[in-house]
Amino acid sequence: MILTPLPLTPDHDIPAPLLTELTALYASNHEFQALSGDFPDPDDIRPEQVAASVADELANQDVEVLLARSEGKLVGVVITLAHHPDPADPDPWIGLLMVDASAQRRGYGRQLASLVEDRFRTGGRSGVRLAVLDNNPKALAFWTTLGYEIIGRREDRRLARPCAVLRKEL
């Protein structure tokens, strides 16, 4: 698997072919989209909505959008945050890790998480955090299997959804 930062056009847009791939990846995860409420209609996710969502993320200079490819096919996306807005929080965050539904259960999620952890470790970071929506027990099981531990509960900053906060020592 190859992990690369999201390339943007000189106008800071996502190239059209890549936006098509990203939209398909987001739309393939219907169950997550229905749980998260990130898009108005999880059955009809449109390229302009994905572009706006990614642009909102990239408005923060500490955010990085990483694309995972295997055999040339986009199999996953990860959004990381180098510094949390809370100055008391020293850890970077994984804001989103999504694997194309057609490629799930093949180890891509584990591999992707490991690559992101390695990036943070190489950058001198000693831990990583993430939040899992309370209504997403599959995600909680995935992350705890990878060694993440629940360290608290709170609402997410964007939509005030209840979440478990997890951390892994690097």
Side-chain angles (χ1 to χ4, degrees):
M1 181 181 324
I2 298 170
L3 191 63
T4 59
L6 174 73
L8 298 175
T9 67
D11 293 331
H12 301 285
D13 293 326
I14 301 170
L18 179 55
L19 182 56
T20 299
E21 286 182 292
L22 271 174
T23 301
L25 188 147
Y26 274 68
S28 77
N29 283 275
H30 180 269
E31 184 177 354
F32 172 74
Q33 301 303 351
L35 290 173
S36 74
D38 288 339
F39 294 97
D41 182 353
D43 294 318
D44 187 25
I45 296 175
R46 299 176 180 267
E48 59 272 12
Q49 294 170 318
V50 173
S53 177
V54 171
D56 286 349
E57 295 286 355
L58 290 173
N60 181 334
Q61 67 182 14
D62 287 334
V63 167
E64 186 172 33
V65 177
L66 302 167
L67 305 177
R69 291 191 178 277
S70 179
E71 298 177 9
K73 182 181 191 281
L74 183 67
V75 294
V77 63
V78 179
I79 299 176
T80 64
L81 179 64
H83 301 96
H84 194 272
D86 180 351
D89 183 347
D91 294 323
W93 281 66
I94 297 172
L96 176 72
L97 187 150
M98 186 182 303
V99 173
D100 188 287
S102 68
Q104 291 177 358
R105 317 248 0 119
R106 296 186 197 165
Y108 290 125
R110 284 180 178 274
Q111 192 176 359
L112 197 44
S114 179
L115 289 170
V116 170
E117 291 165 5
D118 288 347
R119 287 172 69 93
F120 286 139
R121 198 176 290 111
T122 300
R125 308 308 285 271
S126 61
V128 60
R129 296 182 194 209
L130 55 89
V132 174
L133 296 171
D134 280 354
N135 64 353
N136 195 348
K138 288 181 184 178
L140 185 61
F142 170 78
W143 290 109
T144 56
T145 298
L146 296 182
Y148 286 77
E149 298 177 356
I150 297 173
I151 61 168
R153 297 201 173 277
R154 67 176 177 212
E155 293 182 340
D156 78 325
R157 292 180 175 264
R158 197 166 55 95
L159 297 175
R161 301 167 292 194
C163 297
V165 176
L166 290 83
R167 183 177 193 274
K168 182 176 181 178
E169 192 76 27
L170 298 175

